[in-house]
Amino acid sequence: IERVVDIRAQRSTSLEFGPFDVADFDPADPVVILIVQTNVHALQACYFQKKKYDRVRPSFLFSDVDPIIAIPQHPSFPSGHSTQAHAVAFILSELEPGMKNDFLRRASYIAENREVAGVHYPSDSSGGKELAKAVVRELLRHKDYQKLVVAARKSWLGEGDMVMKVREKNQRFDLSVLK
């Protein structure tokens, strides 16, 4: 039942889920700017791929799949939630490498929720993760983005409000369900 609650809470394609919630933070914080910019680029790449591959949702092919949330009206591959969550996990890992596994487990949990919900195939999730990795790798090659990462790292290491809340949410989230 708890997973269904998470799935329903994660219906949005915004950053309002998991430890990646930026809605309550100062939009001028370099960490927030980094997350939002990463997310924008990841979603642009994702929707380009969705248009290219035009994969139908599982429930359109398999009558025994009964989604527990509304079926998104865009193609299935790659998963936008997986792309988005993994892109944020990869970029947060640049700020705090010691939490990389926690960030990636949470991103995978978010992606898997979309499979459990009946709106994605596992390959949609893995495709989203790989796309996120490629997007973040490409972003990190650009000087302006590198400067933003440096500023975000300073803010992150300064133990600001956002950092403490992200850590607290990760500690409250029962990672044992992901093992």
Side-chain angles (χ1 to χ4, degrees), residues 102-165:
D102 292 334
F103 291 142
L104 289 175
R105 275 196 298 271
R106 182 62 176 157
S108 293
Y109 176 79
I110 290 167
E112 187 179 291
N113 278 349
R114 304 294 284 179
E115 298 165 29
V116 172
V119 297
H120 278 295
Y121 305 93
S123 57
D124 296 340
S125 296
S126 60
K129 180 179 181 180
E130 291 307 309
L131 179 59
K133 190 184 302 182
V135 167
V136 170
R137 185 175 51 242
E138 182 61 28
L139 288 171
L140 289 169
R141 292 176 32 157
H142 295 275
K143 291 209 181 297
D144 288 340
Y145 195 78
Q146 291 169 5
K147 289 177 188 176
L148 180 55
V149 170
V150 169
R153 189 174 290 123
K154 286 179 184 175
S155 176
W156 186 271
L157 295 175
E159 303 289 320
D161 184 50
M162 179 173 191
V163 178
M164 300 313 286
K165 286 184 180 178

Side-chain angles (χ1 to χ4, degrees), residues 7 13-14 19 22 28 42 44 47 50 56 59 63 65-67 85-86 118 157 162:
I7 289 168
T13 56
S14 71
V22 298
Q44 284 176 333
Y47 280 94
K50 282 180 178 291
V56 298
S59 59
S63 59
V65 174
D66 187 20
H86 282 97
L157 295 175
M162 179 173 191

